[in-house]
Amino acid sequence: MGDLATEFEAERGHLLAVAYRMLGSRSEAEDAVQETWLRYAGALADPAARAQVQQLRAWLTTTCSRICLDVLRSARVRREAYPGQWLPEPVVRDVQTADGFAPDPAERAVRADQLGTALLVVLERLSPEQRVAFVLHDVFAVPFATVAEVLGTTPAAARQLASRGRRAVAAPDAPRHTADLAEQRRVLDAFAAAVESGELDRLVQVLAPDVMLIGDSGGHFPAGRRPVIGAEIVARFILGIYGQAGRHGGPLRARPVLVDGALGWQLETTYRDGRPLRMVCAYAVHEGRVSGVFHQLNPEKLSHLPEFGPDDVWPPRW
């Protein structure tokens, strides 16, 4: 069992990256990986059974993907009853090194493939089967024969499912996120300066014409039930949010963080009724402008955030 555990731990970061892309929830991804371990330990504890598995990563990926597919199918019912808009539970880490990598291998796996909240949001448009096919083939280069085995279909059908997922990701209304960390920082610096100035025209210049804003409060705080789209409308909305925080809330605390591998902010203030309001802001950046704004303020999805330091005040300091 010790050898099995050592082998499994070597693949845990990869499995967590696969499961998180499929599920959009760190807690659900961790549960899926743990279930994968239980099935692995149960099926391959016999040395003879283990010897028959020549490619352990492929076996584990297939098993984990099947577990995720079951979770996705049940999650669709829960998402339909979700109050307001839904955003993924963010993976939030300190900006610790010049290249933006956190030391955790799982976080490196997330960062290495330029995940970003924007992609997770678009993946929500897919059926469970399309999402699994797209993630396995297009993100992790799993052959269609294996994808078909996971989905219980033919390789040709698996190819079609991945193709539909690819078209959804490339759809004209899907927010683009193509910037490296250096460009993200330049754009977010300009964004913060424009918000701080309170000048509508200045903020509009930082936003893409078709920028999309989505807020997820889980029903705990007021939030739009549909995306806000368009540079001027989004700019007015953002200035209103920060203006209200300044007028009605306590001091606004802010710190730069990595959100799903991309630069973003962690904010905290006091809501007008006295409750603490925490928010993780993720951004998509494309061609020098913000193309997507994602506000996660559902406290049920923000239970594991880094602590603020004494110098973490608005505007964020790198």
Side-chain angles (χ1 to χ4, degrees), residues 104-121:
D104 181 354
E107 305 315 322
R108 282 185 174 271
V110 169
R111 176 67 184 90
D113 285 319
Q114 290 288 324
L115 176 57
T117 304
L119 177 58
L120 287 172
V121 169

Side-chain angles (χ1 to χ4, degrees), residues 20 23-28 75 78-79 81-93 117 120-121 124 214-221 259-260 266 278-281 294-306:
Y20 182 64
L23 301 176
S25 165
R26 179 60 182 264
S27 59
E28 289 183 345
R78 299 197 307 272
R79 302 267 170 86
Y82 191 78
Q85 300 179 91
W86 185 94
L87 286 173
E89 175 188 339
V91 174
V92 180
R93 291 291 182 267
T117 304
L120 287 172
V121 169
E124 282 297 307
I214 298 176
D216 176 355
S217 73
H220 293 275
F221 299 97
V259 186
D260 300 323
Q266 176 185 339
R278 296 191 296 172
M279 182 164 66
V280 169
C281 303
F294 310 101
H295 290 164
Q296 180 56 265
L297 56 158
N298 182 350
E300 297 174 10
K301 298 182 181 181
L302 300 176
S303 57
H304 301 290
L305 295 180

